[in-house]
Amino acid sequence: MDIKSVGVVGAGQMGNGIAHVMALAGYEVKLNDISQDALDAAMARIEKNMARQVSRDQISEDDMTAALARLSPTQDLPALGGVDLIIESATEREEVKHKIFDTLAPHLAPHTILTSNTSSISITRLASRTDRPERFMGFHFMNPVPLMQLVELIRGIATDEATYKTCLGIVERLGKTAASSEDFPAFIVNRILIPMINEACYTLYEGVGNVASIDNAMKLGANHPMGPLELADFIGLDTCLAIMNVLHDGLADTKYRPCPLLTKYVEAGWLGRKTERGFYDYRGETPVPTR
């Protein structure tokens, strides 16, 4: 199928990045969010990030101008129904995603492919609530989307080969690399990454090391570009906890039990960079460990 138009649901950190790369690749993009403030912030961020690419000679001024002209923000979710491909990138809560697809259902074109940018939720289960499970799959981008090379493609049990090949072609057109995953909790990247972060939380919780020593140990001892607690703050502690709960519930293995300290930080509203406090306090000139 020849994809020409894309609808992105959710204008947050992931959604605006997806809209950014899709518009640059030549797709007509409708970016949806329930909040006009979120849409305004997303459009400003996309323009700022594209301007940075221009300054680094990664794209031309003409590329930027053309891409921005292909972007249309809207609060009207049903307006996305006529596009060729929809990428849902709302909050990582299954009931929210079901509600989005239920709202879209009466307005979808017969050929529209539905996808979710979920980082952990069952694609088969999401697809089963729609009228087109064969044209539904997981389309999981990494953050930050314009910089990260990988896209996980996740087939549900009913996803047909034509849908998979269409999405694979989009990934290639974006200049990114696809990794195909089976539909099991957290897929590939987060099945490995988030338990590592959870184990770093346990290491902190049990007093084995403080925030600085844990992050420095992994940066200097394992050559990771970011320490696991710094990375957790970047991802969002609420997202990390949600993925651990999906793993724990979906696989019923005690090794995926979320660390109580991670839960406590989320309960406190200390979610990382987006709230200016997490394992680090970001309210000053430089981040300061909170433990």
Side-chain angles (χ1 to χ4, degrees), residues 9-291:
V9 183
Q13 192 174 37
M14 294 299 294
N16 76 63
I18 295 168
H20 173 142
V21 298
M22 288 288 178
L24 271 180
Y27 297 104
E28 295 292 330
V29 180
K30 291 183 179 180
L31 177 60
N32 167 264
D33 201 281
I34 57 174
S35 164
Q36 186 60 49
D37 288 345
L39 286 171
D40 293 342
M43 294 300 292
R45 182 169 182 175
I46 290 169
E47 186 167 355
K48 180 180 177 182
N49 287 342
M50 285 187 185
R52 185 181 295 119
Q53 289 178 295
V54 171
S55 70
R56 294 174 178 172
D57 294 325
Q58 295 169 337
I59 63 173
S60 69
E61 285 272 8
D62 289 345
D63 291 334
M64 174 177 167
T65 301
L68 291 173
R70 286 190 285 267
L71 270 167
S72 304
T74 178
Q75 287 183 270
D76 182 15
L77 182 58
L80 273 59
V83 301
D84 301 323
L85 170 74
I86 288 176
I87 305 173
E88 173 274 317
S89 187
T91 187
E92 194 69 351
R93 286 167 47 205
E94 188 165 343
E95 66 273 16
V96 172
K97 297 179 186 298
H98 283 310
K99 186 176 179 181
I100 288 167
F101 292 123
D102 288 347
T103 302
L104 283 167
H107 309 281
L108 295 174
H111 68 277
T112 300
I113 291 174
L114 297 177
T115 68
S116 176
N117 183 53
T118 179
S119 54
S120 60
I121 296 169
S122 167
I123 298 302
T124 297
R125 200 162 60 238
L126 289 174
S128 71
R129 287 271 298 268
T130 73
D131 66 345
R132 60 196 67 208
E134 72 286 352
R135 291 196 299 284
F136 192 114
M137 71 179 301
F139 210 169
H140 181 217
F141 290 81
M142 304 296 120
N143 185 35
V145 179
L147 299 180
M148 298 295 281
Q149 184 67 20
L150 184 73
V151 180
E152 283 183 319
L153 292 180
I154 306 100
R155 278 182 274 206
I157 196 168
T159 306
D160 64 25
E161 188 67 14
T163 297
Y164 171 75
K165 286 185 175 178
T166 297
C167 290
L168 181 62
I170 293 167
V171 174
E172 291 170 351
R173 179 166 162 179
L174 294 176
K176 296 185 183 296
T177 301
S180 296
S181 170
E182 294 301 315
D183 184 23
F184 289 98
F187 318 131
I188 296 172
V189 173
N190 285 325
R191 173 76 176 264
I192 297 166
L193 176 64
I194 302 300
M196 183 199 75
I197 287 173
N198 194 53
E199 195 62 29
C201 295
Y202 270 114
T203 306
L204 179 63
Y205 176 60
E206 294 168 4
V208 180
N210 60 25
V211 169
S213 62
I214 292 166
D215 276 352
N216 285 332
M218 294 306 292
K219 284 191 285 189
L220 302 178
N223 206 28
H224 290 191
M226 296 173 85
L229 301 175
E230 181 185 5
L231 180 57
D233 276 357
F234 180 75
I235 294 169
L237 303 193
D238 53 339
T239 301
C240 293
L241 179 60
I243 295 169
M244 283 309 302
N245 281 323
V246 166
L247 282 165
H248 192 238
D249 295 344
L251 298 172
D253 192 324
T254 55
K255 73 180 180 180
Y256 297 116
R257 183 171 69 97
C259 177
L261 184 61
L262 175 60
T263 301
K264 191 64 67 180
Y265 268 69
V266 173
E267 288 174 345
W270 291 20
L271 308 182
R273 287 182 176 269
K274 60 188 174 186
T275 59
E276 297 193 315
R277 277 194 291 188
F279 290 114
Y280 292 85
D281 189 327
Y282 299 92
R283 294 174 297 175
E285 288 187 16
T286 56
V288 177
T290 54
R291 266 178 127 76

